[in-house]
């Protein structure tokens, strides 16, 4: 349950690529070495600091970031 720099970097890279990806497609940057608490903590810090604009979502496969509404 902690902020993970490696995961943060992947989230930021996905955020930067988002405008180039057609709507309905997503970025898969899940990794086995990060648990859901790491994902939440890292995403919350990036969102609250303004480094990314996203919402944390949850579906059948687990947590993900929705960069578009």
């Amino acid at each position: 349950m902690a902020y993970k720099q490696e995961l943060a970097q992947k989230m930021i890279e996905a955020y930067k690529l988002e405008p180039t990806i057609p709507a309905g497609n997503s970025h898969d940057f899940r990794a086995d070495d990060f648990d859901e608490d790491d994902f939440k903590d890292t995403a919350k810090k990036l969102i609250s600091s303004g480094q990314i604009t996203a919402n944390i979502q949850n579906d059948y496969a687990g947590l993900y970031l929705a960069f578009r509404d």
Side-chain angles (χ1 to χ4, degrees), residues 11-66:
M11 290 177 177
I12 291 169
E13 288 171 13
Y15 177 70
K16 288 178 181 178
L17 288 174
E18 182 59 30
T20 66
I21 305 298
N25 293 335
S26 63
H27 306 281
D28 184 11
F29 51 87
R30 295 179 190 168
D32 293 335
D33 32 330
F34 302 115
D35 65 23
E36 286 193 349
D37 290 330
D38 292 344
F39 185 95
K40 283 186 211 175
D41 291 346
T42 303
K44 285 179 182 178
K45 183 169 182 173
L46 293 175
I47 293 166
S48 68
S49 68
Q51 293 181 61
I52 64 172
T53 302
N55 293 308
I56 301 170
Q57 301 290 321
N58 194 4
D59 67 7
Y60 66 91
L63 295 173
Y64 67 96
L65 292 176

